[in-house]
Structures are given as structure tokens and as C-alpha cells.
Amino acid sequence: MDRKHFLSRSLQAAAGMALAPSILRAASSTAAPGGEGLRFEQAPLPYPFEALEPHIDTLTMQVHYGKHHAAYVKNANEALAAEAVPATSAEQLFGTIGAVSTKLRNNAGGAWNHDLFWSSMAPGKGGTPLGKVGDALNGAFGSFDKFKEVFTGAAMSRFGSGWAWLVVHEGNLTIGSTPNQDNPLMEVSELKGRPLLGLDVWEHAYYLKYQNKRNEYVAAWWNLVNWDAVAGRLG
Ligand code: MN
């Protein structure tokens, strides 16, 4: 990768971070057949496919972003066009997700969750967060190590496909998980809150490199967590 390309990707990443809540950008003004409405857009990956090596391998990133995530976005938009949903933002849609098709629920969740996931990682990150995130985690969980332990537990105990989350709910930081592509913004979700950090524990997120060893994937992922992005969401 040449320097110019790198700078351009870095600027995209910086721009993406500044607009963090606009992972809710899903509300685009693109006109749909039959009228204007909510449409999802796949945000550019804020780093090259190979940037997360060795923790997440290049092929996994290519397939995960280029195929899985792209398909969620395409299928969510197909369902939105077919179902005449009145929501104009992703949050609004998730707040009434019990009223739409399973196709829309699964794919809208997949579209949104992955944008959060990509922007929650960056090469050369990880470590222990300082400042307000560090303080908030210490306050809620006692220590950063304890937070990691509880979050890892949520990621490991989610049976089958799903996500582990750190959310803020009614002023409190909470950890939990959701099945499939559900997220804590969905009215149907047992875990409720505004996501600060999400970890994809679908096998498609790690199987090529880690096979059945989800624990090794989760352990490696901590080296990529972009605490600056989490701080931006914490507000
Ligand atoms: Mn995924």
C-alpha cells in the first residue's frame, strides 16, 4: 500500500470516527422505488483488509466485509423497499423491529452491527483504555481485567451465532449478548442499551483462522479494540 493510499484510508477512518453516531447514517436520502425512506449504506472499511493481521486474517476480512456484510446491506434494502416501513432511521427501525419481517430484522441488524464492529477495531490498538472509558469500566466492573473477563464470558457463552456487547443503559454500563444479528437497540432484545462496543462471534468471523477455537479469536481481538471509538460513543 502506498503512502497516499494509506493517508486516504486514515482520513476516512478519522472521518468515520468523528461521525461515530452516524453508524446510524443508515438514514440516507436515497430515493427508493415508491418513495423516500430508510436505506442502509455499507461504510468504507476504515483500514485495508490486511491491516488487522495477524489477529484477524486478510481472507476472513475480505469475505466478511465483502460478502457477508455486503449481503446484509443489500438484503436489508431489498426488504425495506418491499415492506414500506415508516422508519427513517436505524434506531427507529430497531425500536419497532417486532413489526417487520424476519428478513428485515436479520439483515438490518447485520448491516448496522458490522459498521459498529469495523469501526471498533484498528491496527495497533488494544491495550488498557485511559480517561473516561477507563474510569467508566473501573467504576462499573471494578477493574479493566474484570471487565475483560465478563465480556469474554459473554462472547464465549453465546451459543451458536451472535454478538457480545458493552452497552450503556439508563446510565449504567452493562455487558451481554444477542443471538443472530439482533442488537441491544432492538425492542425484542433481552439486552437493552446503546452499544459502545460489539464483538461478532459468528463462526464466519473467525473460522478460517481459528476453526472451533472461539476463545483464541476473542483473546486476539482485544489487541484490536479501538478505545478511542468507544470513547466517542460514550460521549
Ligand atoms: Mn459477521
Side-chain angles (χ1 to χ4, degrees):
M1 182 173 54
D2 65 45
R3 179 171 165 77
K4 189 174 164 199
H5 184 207
F6 175 77
L7 284 173
S8 136
R9 297 306 290 255
S10 301
L11 287 171
Q12 281 174 13
M17 210 169 293
L19 295 171
S22 71
I23 33 184
L24 305 166
R25 87 183 69 211
S28 91
S29 58
T30 312
E36 292 206 358
L38 174 63
R39 288 294 174 271
F40 286 91
E41 289 172 26
Q42 189 177 26
L45 195 64
Y47 34 74
F49 290 123
E50 67 273 18
L52 306 184
E53 292 269 10
H55 309 295
I56 299 181
D57 60 287
T58 305
L59 182 58
T60 293
M61 288 301 296
Q62 287 168 334
V63 175
H64 198 177
Y65 178 86
K67 305 293 184 189
H68 291 280
H69 188 199
Y72 293 129
V73 172
K74 175 176 174 288
N75 292 332
N77 287 335
E78 242 176 54
L80 281 169
E83 294 178 36
V85 174
T88 56
S89 70
E91 289 129 313
Q92 229 177 50
L93 174 65
F94 294 148
T96 55
I97 203 76
V100 305
S101 69
T102 304
K103 174 179 175 173
L104 182 50
R105 171 175 167 175
N106 288 339
N107 287 286
W112 193 91
N113 295 350
H114 286 84
D115 267 348
L116 183 98
F117 184 53
W118 310 133
S119 62
S120 297
M121 298 185 287
K125 293 290 189 173
T128 304
L130 304 172
K132 64 182 174 183
V133 174
D135 293 345
L137 293 177
N138 289 336
F141 304 102
S143 68
F144 180 64
D145 284 346
K146 186 63 186 171
F147 155 74
K148 265 179 83 171
E149 184 189 319
V150 175
F151 191 98
T152 298
M156 291 305 299
S157 62
R158 168 49 55 190
F159 185 80
S161 298
W163 292 75
W165 304 96
L166 170 68
V167 303
V168 58
H169 184 52
E170 294 171 352
N172 299 312
L173 296 190
T174 307
I175 287 169
S177 70
T178 56
N180 305 314
Q181 294 295 352
D182 284 358
N183 69 46
L185 294 170
M186 293 186 177
E187 54 159 347
V188 294
S189 176
E190 196 175 316
L191 174 71
K192 292 217 165 41
R194 188 164 51 80
L196 302 177
L197 182 63
L199 171 59
D200 188 344
V201 296
W202 281 59
E203 284 186 344
H204 69 220
Y206 62 87
Y207 205 84
L208 293 177
K209 181 178 172 79
Y210 296 98
Q211 294 83 49
N212 60 319
K213 293 165 285 195
R214 185 189 288 184
N215 59 323
E216 292 185 9
Y217 159 68
V218 175
W221 172 77
W222 289 112
N223 295 304
L224 300 171
V225 174
N226 184 350
W227 292 111
D228 295 334
V230 175
R233 291 178 196 129
L234 186 58

